[in-house]
Amino acid sequence: MLKFKVFKVILLSFILVFSGNYMFSQHSEEHQVEKHSKKFNPGEMIMAHVGDEYGWHITTINEKHITIPLPVIVYSEYSGFHIFMSSKFNHGHSSYKNFKIASGKKNPLNGKIVEIINGKEIKPYDISITKNTLSLFISIFIILWIFLSVAKAYTKRKGKAPKGIQSFLEPLILFVRDDIAKESLGEKKYMKYTPYLLTIFFFIFLNNLLGLVPIFPGGANLTGNIAITMVLALFTFIITTINANKSYWKHIIWAPGVPWWLKAPPLPIMPLVEILGIFIKPFVLMVRLFANITAGHIVALGFFSLIFLFGEMGGAPAGYGGAVFSVAFTIFLTMLELLVAFIQAYVFTLLSALYFAMATEESH
Amino acid sequence: MGLVTPDFGLIFWMTITFLAVLFILKKYAWKPILKSLKEREDSIDNALQSAEKAKDEMARLKSDNEKILQEARVEREKLLSDAREVKEKIIEDAKTSAKIEADKMISSAKAQIESEKLTALNEIKEKVVSLSVEIAEKVINKSLSSDKAQVDYASSLLKDIEMN
């Protein structure tokens, strides 16, 4: 029954997450309200950094924002397609046509583009190239560039020892192939799933690393974005479900070795739990990656915020003194995050492989 | 933007881009990479296997050589001992035949000597007879009428000689 309870909790949180109740943002808002708007607000800064935005904010010098403007693409049911640069919003201070970036702490659409129709804020279909989208494009460009050139090296230098970036990536490729795919799926089936596993491994690993780079091409919190992890988990879910064999479904609906009264109506607990499990597995994948990476970013940024908080409270000397400790801690944390970047990519890939293995296991 | 609300736009772009990346990488990166990795592993495997085979082959050849050498040695030993036997036999034969020949020669020599001796004896006998006759003649010439008893005696003497 304990298991059942756990599942209930997970299901509840599932509902909460998707019902638009922003537990996280509400929590931080309460802190923000107390503070003076002019003062440094770590919560706001951190949330802005781990979240998404319509332009890529680089830095602010003397109250002047330096931002790379990004294209906004929206489709409105009222006025059709619109494509324009995010600089038209002037950092959210002005509106363009009828569009503006919604603001207000209690506004559920806070930070999103809305269209003003008859004085009401209505959310259009929004496929803007946001900071995370651009970061996604940059990262896939890097991935394609790296692996296509590595593939070229493999075909050019056939049968020879690896060289250059090839020799750096080969152990990782072999690691995914031998220690993840072959180990979980077995000699017969692993080749079918290895391309997907390699792709998600390197996609997650590279984006985790890019997230740790503080300046322009990096710095976006891509793998710590729930939409990205959701799509990745969905792919794993879809591949698992498509390739599942009879014995997998049989184990879900009528698990052998379980007393009949646990799986027959009126109280088919086991099938219910198993069916929930189908969805919980990818859901957990999604949340684990998102939470680990986001938490890492939040903690690292928190330490940086300490510098400015000390500075505000005790003047410049306290700020500099605090900086020594903060930087030391941030270095330590970044080292830890490097490890986490690898571990999370590994865990996501390994669990995907295990789910595929479970779905395709032959009945014994 | 809520931290835990998946954003539609990002889901849209992520799905499209990830599918594209998956497709491109699968076709143009993972396929050649995995293929050539496999090929390289296979070729290393093969090389190791053939090295092992060559080693076995070498060992086999070496033991063969050893065997052949051993056989050759035995053969040589046999030949030598055969030769020695032949040599001894030849010597033996030679000795025997020489001895036979020698015996033959000796015996023929003996026979010849015997016959020579007989001839010589006969000659001597004849000489003796003639000498005796001469002597007797002379004696007779001197005293033929003297004594008949003397003649008888001479004849008996001659007879004795003939007996010998």
Side-chain angles (χ1 to χ4, degrees):
Chain A
M1 286 316 272
L2 184 75
K3 223 179 176 183
F4 192 54
K5 255 187 195 163
V6 172
F7 286 136
K8 234 167 97 183
V9 169
I10 293 169
L11 187 68
L12 262 177
S13 56
F14 197 99
I15 293 161
L16 278 175
V17 163
F18 286 104
S19 64
N21 258 332
Y22 311 117
M23 289 156 65
F24 272 76
S25 44
Q26 270 179 3
H27 185 70
S28 57
E29 274 160 23
E30 279 161 19
H31 286 281
Q32 287 162 16
V33 174
E34 294 164 16
K35 284 192 177 137
H36 197 266
S37 62
K38 259 293 182 193
K39 271 190 170 173
F40 173 69
N41 187 334
E44 214 166 60
M45 185 276 271
I46 291 170
M47 282 304 150
H49 268 87
V50 296
D52 207 353
E53 55 188 3
Y54 285 104
W56 198 315
H57 181 234
I58 308 273
T59 184
T60 305
I61 299 170
N62 294 335
E63 308 278 310
K64 200 174 161 2
H65 296 293
I66 297 171
T67 306
I68 300 171
L70 298 170
V72 169
I73 305 166
V74 286
Y75 173 73
S76 157
E77 281 165 10
Y78 302 94
S79 52
F81 262 111
H82 296 274
I83 300 175
F84 52 92
M85 297 307 280
S86 67
S87 50
K88 293 274 197 306
F89 286 130
N90 197 13
H91 306 294
H93 298 308
S94 50
S95 58
Y96 176 75
K97 288 179 185 170
N98 279 330
F99 296 103
K100 68 165 195 164
I101 295 174
S103 57
K105 306 284 181 210
K106 297 283 177 225
N107 191 343
L109 293 171
N110 184 16
K112 302 264 189 202
I113 287 179
V114 288
E115 190 177 18
I116 314 283
I117 305 287
N118 301 329
K120 269 206 223 150
E121 290 181 346
I122 290 170
K123 195 177 179 302
Y125 294 102
D126 180 0
I127 51 167
S128 306
I129 309 296
T130 58
K131 180 184 170 186
N132 275 337
T133 315
L134 181 64
S135 166
L136 171 71
F137 290 162
I138 292 171
S139 75
I140 61 143
F141 176 76
I142 295 172
I143 287 182
L144 287 179
W145 178 64
I146 289 176
F147 285 102
L148 291 181
S149 61
V150 166
K152 216 164 115 196
Y154 270 105
T155 32
K156 228 188 225 166
R157 300 167 37 80
K158 216 178 190 86
K160 287 187 191 154
K163 204 175 139 194
I165 194 162
Q166 193 191 357
S167 56
F168 172 71
L169 287 168
E170 187 169 312
L172 287 175
I173 295 172
L174 288 178
F175 171 72
V176 174
R177 192 194 67 175
D178 295 342
D179 292 333
I180 297 177
K182 211 184 264 181
E183 192 80 10
S184 323
L185 288 150
E187 196 72 47
K188 265 191 284 174
K189 290 177 292 184
Y190 82 97
M191 274 316 273
K192 187 179 169 190
Y193 300 98
T194 309
Y196 173 72
L197 295 172
L198 281 166
T199 310
I200 56 170
F201 179 81
F202 284 107
F203 180 84
I204 295 171
F205 189 35
L206 183 89
N207 278 305
N208 285 350
L209 291 179
L210 278 180
L212 294 176
V213 178
I215 49 162
F216 165 60
N221 182 26
L222 193 68
T223 38
N225 186 297
I226 195 102
I228 299 294
T229 61
M230 189 178 101
V231 174
L232 287 171
L234 265 177
F235 272 107
T236 295
F237 171 71
I238 289 167
I239 294 173
T240 312
T241 313
I242 285 176
N243 289 298
N245 59 13
K246 248 188 213 158
S247 126
Y248 173 74
W249 295 118
K250 200 187 145 206
H251 270 77
I252 285 171
I253 299 190
W254 199 261
V258 173
W260 64 269
W261 45 269
L262 273 178
K263 47 191 182 181
L267 198 64
I269 288 174
M270 282 309 287
L272 275 178
V273 168
E274 290 283 358
I275 286 165
L276 270 179
I278 299 174
F279 299 101
I280 286 164
K281 281 177 206 159
F283 180 77
V284 169
L285 275 185
M286 167 180 94
V287 172
R288 181 185 300 108
L289 182 58
F290 156 73
N292 269 289
I293 304 305
T294 302
H297 279 243
I298 288 175
V299 175
L301 289 166
F303 274 113
F304 272 129
S305 305
L306 279 180
I307 302 173
F308 302 103
L309 287 178
F310 280 140
E312 269 180 0
M313 285 189 295
Y320 290 128
V324 175
F325 292 102
S326 283
V327 168
F329 267 109
T330 315
I331 289 171
F332 168 70
L333 265 168
T334 308
M335 295 291 176
L336 198 71
E337 285 302 302
L338 279 175
L339 192 67
V340 170
F342 178 78
I343 289 172
Q344 287 308 317
Y346 168 62
V347 166
F348 198 106
T349 315
L350 178 71
L351 286 176
S352 294
L354 285 175
Y355 295 159
F356 299 157
M358 264 188 245
T360 56
E361 199 177 12
E362 297 299 323
S363 56
H364 5 246
Chain B
M1 289 187 185
L3 198 55
V4 287
T5 325
D7 181 57
F8 171 74
L10 203 48
I11 292 175
F12 173 80
W13 287 116
M14 173 64 183
T15 312
I16 290 176
T17 13
F18 189 77
L19 273 175
V21 169
L22 188 61
F23 176 76
I24 294 170
L25 282 184
K26 190 176 174 178
K27 193 154 185 203
Y28 298 106
W30 304 133
K31 214 172 141 194
I33 289 174
L34 290 172
K35 198 173 140 235
S36 66
L37 276 177
K38 185 114 189 75
E39 275 171 6
R40 197 202 303 156
E41 273 159 20
D42 284 353
S43 86
I44 290 171
D45 250 21
N46 281 343
L48 283 176
Q49 257 169 24
S50 53
E52 195 64 30
K53 234 185 240 163
K55 216 172 109 191
D56 285 356
E57 189 75 5
M58 278 290 287
R60 208 174 57 79
L61 279 176
K62 212 175 150 194
S63 79
D64 270 15
N65 279 351
E66 204 66 37
K67 220 171 93 190
I68 288 168
L69 217 66
Q70 190 62 33
E71 272 170 11
R73 219 173 273 138
V74 168
E75 189 76 6
R76 189 190 66 179
E77 212 55 46
K78 201 173 146 241
L79 280 175
L80 277 177
S81 73
D82 276 9
R84 209 173 287 129
E85 254 168 50
V86 168
K87 182 187 88 180
E88 266 158 23
K89 194 164 169 273
I90 287 169
I91 290 170
E92 196 64 33
D93 282 2
K95 267 185 186 162
T96 328
S97 67
K99 198 165 175 254
I100 291 168
E101 194 69 17
D103 285 353
K104 229 173 159 183
M105 278 169 81
I106 288 166
S107 66
S108 82
K110 267 184 184 159
Q112 207 164 348
I113 288 166
E114 199 63 33
S115 79
E116 292 285 323
K117 198 174 103 184
L118 267 178
T119 324
L121 274 176
N122 281 343
E123 268 177 22
I124 289 166
K125 256 182 206 170
E126 275 167 23
K127 208 85 176 165
V128 166
V129 169
S130 68
L131 276 173
S132 313
V133 168
E134 251 177 70
I135 294 163
E137 227 173 36
K138 279 169 185 165
V139 168
I140 291 165
N141 280 344
K142 247 174 189 178
S143 57
L144 197 52
S145 48
S146 68
D147 205 344
K148 203 196 175 240
Q150 277 180 312
V151 177
D152 285 341
Y153 178 62
S155 324
S156 76
L157 280 175
L158 194 65
K159 257 181 196 162
D160 282 347
I161 291 164
E162 266 177 351
M163 293 289 271
N164 286 332

